[in-house]
């Protein structure tokens, strides 16, 4: 019995996988014109063989699959698996491998924070085997419909058939063979997934295949409401600007018009934050204010998300393939296709989308405006509700409460804070945000005002990863906290020594424009600095965690092969990687670690850790590059990785109990549950099942049961 069947296929379909919005592999293969053109395979280390056009399964391949060998390839769980079920099995008689036979090399590469593109991964690993550069030309020739030639009927689906282009098609088969050789060489360099992590990947594959039901009626209604409302706003924008701006989406032209009408530079652009800030100015003409308000309303939602939902839904009414296993280096999942991880935050315009649905289906913006307010805000609030329980079912949704704050305190041994969480979970004391605000404002937690709580919330969410003033500002902006307005209240109650030092720091750094002193007003900066310092004074063990993790990494780099630990986390340098062993036993991987000189913001040099990995650069592209592994990145990675492992454990427990999981977003799990099965309380308890390695970590989840998904 053989061990591994390495496999790759080349296909064609009228569905363009690279279209925007992206349709996904499930839509690709359910197209009636989808076909497999050629395949390449090898058993273990034997020579790679290829077949083309006559796709009858070869006896040796059939025998291997039926014997239960692992079927290995790049992204096989999200491509070849679907091809087997939709084309190779029903059309050509290939035996379809069982789910646990699939062995995805891309998943293993992702777990080591390597690139998710086959060619780039081979380059990064420096392999002798490299992807065939001619592949793009051949794919364009054989995998996509061609244009009609003279005498052919326009609009007819036409292909470059292999029989008419034998030489190029032979090259296509060779290209497929090369991919198998590259994938096999990569696999030989990788660390296999652990038994537990393979279970997580298999569950991920099942969730992606199950898919999430789409309320197509609601999608169409929201699209109609949005288009009607945006057309109305565009008409008013044209009138307000005397037809200089004919659409609220004309950002550059609107920016120039606003500054011209004001006779001074009011805005650098018309992003949401810039418009919000401009509307606070008292010195703008009424017609300019109205133009800003129109831009604010029109920018609240986009039909692009609705277009994406329609482009990805399959014939069964579900969207499959929404999740990318190990999409982030921490192991967290990333959203794909219609990006469920990137839905807009709710405005509160529509508190209950389920109750609003009958009104929305009338597609009447005036009715929605009368019942709820701004129709575009209503559309934005209901985008999540397009993800629905399938007919006869209901959704169970549960989300961990303050998970990153809890994990950070647990890793650091900040015992007083863990007790705050435990008491609050029992309903016996203040929450984390009130406690944070109490430390900042120097007042009792039960006397914290609503405004003070918001500052505490921004601090709790923005400062736990060694962030400074600007990290806090980013979180304060999300929660609409104006720290300039918080200046006087903080000055009145904060520790005088902390406040005076913040003033001195502002005077020192503002001369050189460092640490955000140029981006913030004096009052906002000082109030933010006081908040930062007060939070750190209240959390000494967490501050020690930041330093302890960084020191352990530096020690591991200085002494390759030696395990260096801080608390529950260990580091080891081996095989060209810095390995971070988490409490669960899973490891994060950082490529080519080293310590080198780095310039500080104030110009001096310091010794810092750098690694190589995939990073998002300007323009949103991902690039393999060397980057600093500073304290903020170190602690954020560890905390988010631990939170991910807790979620993975909870998902496995839910799956074992029979809850049909269809989605998970960050720290939230969603199941499409038949009527009469289970209960929300049981669902929450399983999600919070505490693994042995997390003993002492207070973990709770809050959930809801509904027909549609909501924030």
């Amino acid at each position: 019995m053989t061990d591994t069947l390495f496999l790759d296929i080349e296909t064609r379909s009228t569905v363009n996988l690279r279209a925007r919005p992206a349709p996904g592999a499930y839509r690709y293969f359910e197209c009636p014109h989808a076909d497999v053109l050629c395949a390449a395979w090898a058993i273990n280390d034997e020579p790679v063989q290829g077949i083309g056009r006559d796709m009858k399964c070869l006896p040796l391949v059939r025998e291997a699959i039926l014997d239960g060998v692992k079927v290995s390839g790049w992204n096989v769980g999200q491509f070849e698996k679907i091809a087997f079920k939709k084309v190779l099995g029903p059309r050509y008689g290939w035996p379809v491998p069982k789910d646990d036979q699939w062995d995805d090399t891309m998943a293993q590469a992702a777990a080591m924070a390597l690139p998710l593109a086959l060619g780039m991964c081979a380059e990064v690993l420096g392999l002798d085997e490299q992807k065939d550069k001619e592949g793009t030309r051949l794919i364009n020739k054989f995998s996509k419909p061609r244009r009609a030639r003279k005498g052919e009927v326009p609009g007819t689906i036409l292909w470059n058939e292999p029989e008419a282009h034998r030489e190029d098609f032979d090259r296509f088969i060779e290209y497929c063979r090369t991919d198998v050789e590259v994938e096999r060489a990569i696999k030989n360099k990788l660390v296999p997934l652990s038994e537990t992590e393979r279970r997580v990947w298999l569950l991920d594959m099942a969730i992606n295949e199950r898919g999430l039901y789409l309320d197509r009626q609601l999608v169409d209604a929201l699209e109609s409401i949005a288009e009607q409302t945006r057309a109305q706003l565009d008409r008013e924008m044209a009138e307000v600007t005397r037809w200089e701006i004919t659409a609220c989406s004309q950002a550059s032209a609107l920016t120039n018009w606003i500054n011209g009408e004001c006779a001074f530079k009011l805005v650098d652009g018309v992003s949401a934050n810039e418009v919000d800030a401009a509307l606070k100015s008292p010195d703008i003409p009424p017609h300019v204010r109205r133009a800003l308000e129109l831009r604010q309303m029109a920018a609240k939602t986009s039909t692009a998300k609705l277009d994406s939902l329609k482009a990805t839904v399959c014939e069964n009414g579900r969207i499959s393939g929404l999740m990318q296993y190990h999409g982030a280096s921490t192991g967290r999942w990333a959203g794909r296709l219609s990006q469920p991880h990137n839905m807009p935050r709710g405005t509160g315009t529509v508190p209950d989308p389920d109750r609003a649905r009958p009104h929305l289906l009338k597609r009447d913006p005036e009715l929605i405006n009368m019942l709820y307010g701004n129709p575009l805000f209503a559309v934005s609030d209901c985008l999540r509700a397009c993800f629905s329980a399938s007919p006869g079912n209901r959704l169970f949704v549960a989300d961990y409460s303050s998970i990153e704050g809890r994990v950070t305190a647990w890793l650091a041994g900040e015992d007083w804070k863990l007790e705050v969480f435990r008491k609050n979970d029992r309903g016996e004391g203040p929450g984390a945000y009130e406690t944070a605000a109490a430390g900042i404002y120097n007042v009792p937690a039960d006397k914290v005002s609503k405004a003070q709580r918001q500052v505490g919330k921004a601090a709790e969410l923005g400062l736990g990863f060694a962030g400074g003033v600007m990290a806090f500002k980013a979180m304060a902006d999300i929660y609409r906290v104006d720290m300039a307005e918080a200046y006087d209240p903080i000055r009145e109650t904060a520790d005088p020594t902390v406040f005076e030092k913040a003033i001195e720091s502002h005077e020192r750094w503002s001369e050189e424009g460092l640490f955000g002193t140029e981006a913030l007003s004096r009052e906002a900066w000082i109030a933010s600095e006081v908040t930062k310092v007060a939070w750190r004074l209240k959390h000494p063990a967490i501050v020690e965690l930041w330093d302890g993790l960084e020191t352990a990494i530096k020690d591991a780099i200085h002494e390759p092969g030696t395990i260096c630990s801080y608390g529950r986390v260990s580091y080891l340098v081996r095989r060209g990687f810095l390995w971070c062993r988490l409490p669960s036993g899973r490891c994060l991987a950082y490529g080519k670690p080293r310590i080198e000189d780095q310039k500080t913001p104030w110009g001096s040099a310091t010794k810092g850790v750098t690694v190589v990995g995939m990073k998002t650069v300007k323009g949103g592209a991902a690039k393999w590059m060397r980057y600093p592994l500073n304290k903020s990145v170190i602690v954020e990675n560890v905390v988010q990785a631990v939170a991910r492992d807790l979620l993975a454990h909870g998902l496995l427990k839910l799956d074992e109990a029979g809850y049909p999981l269809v989605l998970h977003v960050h720290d939230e799990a969603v199941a499409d549950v038949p009527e009469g099965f289970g209960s929300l309380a049981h669902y929450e308890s399983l999600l919070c099942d505490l693994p042995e390695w997390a003993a002492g970590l207070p973990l709770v989840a809050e959930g809801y049961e509904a027909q549609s998904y909501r924030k």
Side-chain angles (χ1 to χ4, degrees):
M1 178 175 170
T2 54
D3 296 320
T4 302
L5 171 68
F6 294 94
L7 180 73
D8 186 56
I9 61 175
E10 299 303 331
T11 62
R12 74 182 183 190
S13 172
T14 57
V15 174
N16 184 0
L17 284 172
R18 298 187 180 277
R20 292 293 178 268
Y26 289 87
R27 280 286 313 277
Y28 180 89
F29 280 113
E30 77 176 12
C31 164
H33 303 285
D35 201 359
V36 177
L37 299 176
C38 62
W41 57 276
I43 294 178
N44 295 337
D45 294 327
E46 295 177 4
V48 179
Q49 301 183 48
I51 57 174
R53 210 62 189 102
D54 178 6
M55 292 305 300
K56 183 178 179 181
C57 188
L58 298 178
L60 194 59
V61 175
R62 176 183 297 277
E63 180 183 348
I65 294 174
L66 292 176
D67 279 349
V69 303
K70 289 288 186 289
V71 181
S72 179
W74 194 263
N75 198 30
V76 289
Q78 293 301 313
F79 197 78
E80 274 77 5
K81 176 188 174 182
I82 311 168
F84 265 82
K85 288 193 171 185
K86 297 289 187 180
V87 180
L88 287 173
R91 193 177 305 171
Y92 296 110
W94 290 49
V96 178
K98 298 176 182 178
D99 281 359
D100 62 1
Q101 284 182 256
W102 294 108
D103 186 36
D104 199 325
T105 310
M106 190 177 88
Q108 296 168 31
M112 292 176 63
L114 290 166
L116 301 187
L118 178 66
M120 185 181 294
C121 188
E123 290 179 11
V124 164
L125 291 175
L127 301 178
D128 292 334
E129 300 85 352
Q130 293 292 320
K131 193 170 175 67
D132 190 339
K133 301 296 185 182
E134 201 176 5
T136 299
R137 179 184 73 83
L138 297 168
I139 289 171
N140 287 335
K141 183 166 188 173
F142 292 109
S143 298
K144 300 176 181 179
R146 65 171 174 81
R147 294 179 180 178
R149 303 186 182 111
K150 186 176 180 180
E152 295 176 332
V153 180
T156 305
I157 298 173
L158 301 165
W159 306 94
N160 286 313
E161 297 293 352
E163 294 79 7
H165 304 272
R166 176 51 59 187
E167 185 175 343
D168 266 352
F169 192 71
D170 287 345
R171 285 284 298 111
F172 202 31
I173 297 173
E174 183 63 24
Y175 165 74
C176 190
R177 290 180 65 252
T178 299
D179 272 5
V180 171
E181 291 172 349
V182 173
E183 183 273 328
R184 183 169 59 182
I186 290 174
K187 185 175 178 61
N188 290 335
K189 291 282 188 178
L190 301 180
V191 177
L193 298 179
S194 68
E195 181 179 346
T196 298
E197 201 55 33
R198 179 166 168 79
R199 288 177 60 211
V200 174
W201 175 76
L202 288 170
L203 176 57
D204 171 79
M205 188 168 61
I207 293 171
N208 271 315
E209 184 173 13
R210 183 177 294 130
L212 185 58
Y213 189 77
L214 183 70
D215 186 341
R216 185 57 187 268
Q217 281 186 301
L218 183 59
V219 171
D220 292 340
L222 295 180
E223 185 175 50
S224 176
I225 292 168
E227 289 176 350
Q228 292 178 67
T229 305
R230 290 168 69 87
Q232 179 182 338
L233 294 175
D234 286 345
R235 286 194 296 270
E236 187 176 351
M237 178 67 81
E239 293 170 1
V240 166
T241 63
R242 298 181 297 278
W243 299 95
E244 290 190 38
I245 311 297
T246 57
C248 297
S249 59
Q250 295 172 344
S252 178
L254 182 57
T255 300
N256 294 335
W257 180 85
I258 290 169
N259 291 331
E261 292 295 306
C262 290
F264 63 89
K265 189 175 183 179
L266 177 67
V267 294
D268 291 318
V270 286
S271 67
N273 288 339
E274 288 170 314
V275 170
D276 289 347
L279 284 170
K280 294 177 182 178
S281 173
D283 302 322
I284 54 176
H287 68 297
V288 174
R289 180 175 297 278
R290 183 56 183 164
L292 286 165
E293 291 170 347
L294 293 169
R295 166 69 183 183
Q296 183 183 56
M297 289 187 285
K300 187 58 193 175
T301 191
S302 168
T303 56
K305 182 67 72 175
L306 297 168
D307 292 340
S308 178
L309 293 172
K310 292 191 299 181
T312 53
V313 65
C314 295
E315 292 174 354
N316 62 1
R318 309 179 80 89
I319 300 179
S320 294
L322 285 169
M323 310 296 298
Q324 174 63 62
Y325 170 79
H326 225 294
S329 62
T330 59
R332 279 190 163 182
W333 283 262
R336 290 293 183 260
L337 306 181
S338 48
Q339 291 288 356
H341 290 60
N342 191 29
M343 291 288 188
R345 304 182 69 86
T347 67
T349 300
V350 181
D352 187 345
D354 283 353
R355 295 185 64 180
R357 185 177 182 275
H359 306 302
L360 293 163
L361 293 183
K362 296 183 185 298
R363 306 187 183 197
D364 186 346
E366 292 185 5
L367 174 64
I368 299 304
N369 188 59
M370 179 182 71
L371 293 174
Y372 300 105
N374 188 307
L376 288 181
F377 286 13
V379 169
S380 181
D381 280 8
C382 294
L383 282 174
R384 280 183 171 84
C386 294
F387 294 138
S388 171
S390 51
N393 287 11
R394 77 271 198 222
L395 295 182
F396 282 174
V397 184
D399 189 8
Y400 290 133
S401 175
S402 303
I403 183 64
E404 291 185 352
R406 293 167 186 262
V407 169
T408 305
W410 177 75
L411 286 169
E414 197 75 80
D415 294 333
W416 71 266
K417 190 164 189 177
L418 294 174
E419 192 59 27
V420 166
F421 285 119
R422 293 188 186 103
K423 286 184 176 180
N424 186 251
D425 293 343
R426 299 193 299 265
E428 298 175 1
Y433 302 154
E434 291 82 3
T435 302
I440 294 163
Y441 286 91
N442 201 24
V443 298
D446 60 356
K447 301 296 183 183
V448 168
S449 68
K450 185 176 180 180
Q452 290 171 335
R453 183 184 184 277
Q454 283 298 95
V455 173
K457 182 176 184 178
E460 186 68 14
L461 298 176
L463 296 175
F465 299 155
V469 166
M470 294 308 289
F472 173 72
K473 177 187 181 300
M475 194 60 65
D477 286 346
I478 291 174
Y479 292 101
R480 304 295 177 91
V481 175
D482 188 337
M483 291 307 291
E485 294 179 358
Y487 177 84
D488 286 336
I490 288 178
R491 181 180 60 181
E492 291 172 5
T493 60
D495 184 323
T497 303
V498 172
F499 200 88
E500 288 301 319
K501 286 185 177 179
I503 293 174
E504 293 173 5
S505 296
H506 183 267
E507 291 175 353
R508 181 168 66 255
W509 298 123
S510 61
E511 292 179 3
E512 301 178 56
L514 298 175
F515 302 116
T517 52
E518 285 186 334
L520 294 170
S521 68
R522 176 181 181 275
E523 290 75 14
W525 195 95
I526 291 172
S528 299
E529 175 71 5
V530 171
T531 298
K532 180 200 79 174
V533 173
W535 192 93
R536 291 184 178 184
L537 289 172
K538 186 72 173 177
H539 297 81
I542 290 177
V543 174
E544 287 183 15
L545 173 70
W546 304 339
D547 294 330
L549 293 176
E550 184 182 47
T551 298
I553 288 175
K554 289 181 176 179
D555 289 345
I557 295 173
H558 282 306
E559 302 178 54
T562 301
I563 297 174
C564 301
S565 304
Y566 184 85
R568 294 178 165 93
V569 182
S570 300
Y571 292 94
L572 171 70
V573 173
R574 182 174 290 172
R575 295 176 60 182
F577 285 86
L578 168 68
W579 301 94
C580 170
R581 191 177 191 276
L582 301 164
S584 66
R586 183 171 69 92
C587 289
L588 305 183
Y590 301 90
K592 298 181 179 180
R594 66 186 185 213
I595 298 173
E596 56 188 358
D597 289 338
Q598 296 178 16
K599 286 188 177 180
T600 63
W602 51 92
S604 62
T606 187
K607 294 289 186 181
V609 178
T610 64
V611 294
V612 294
M614 296 300 295
K615 298 295 288 184
T616 301
V617 296
K618 189 174 181 180
K623 183 179 179 181
W624 183 260
M625 60 185 292
R626 181 164 291 277
Y627 66 93
L629 193 64
N630 57 39
K631 289 180 185 178
S632 292
V633 176
I634 292 167
V635 69
E636 180 181 42
N637 283 184
V638 170
V639 169
Q640 291 187 352
V642 171
R644 179 269 190 197
D645 289 346
L646 290 168
L647 176 67
H649 178 80
L651 294 175
L652 289 172
K653 288 293 182 180
L654 289 169
D655 180 65
E656 289 170 3
Y659 286 96
L661 292 161
V662 291
L663 181 69
H664 46 94
V665 177
H666 304 308
D667 305 303
E668 178 181 65
V670 184
D672 188 0
V673 184
E675 288 290 344
F677 179 84
S679 69
L680 181 60
H682 184 228
Y683 186 83
E684 291 171 342
S685 68
L686 288 173
L687 186 63
C688 292
D689 181 86
L690 203 64
E692 291 183 8
W693 57 261
L697 195 161
L699 188 64
V700 296
E702 298 176 357
Y704 64 87
E705 178 181 344
Q707 184 61 35
S708 58
Y709 182 48
R710 64 174 184 260
K711 183 61 179 176

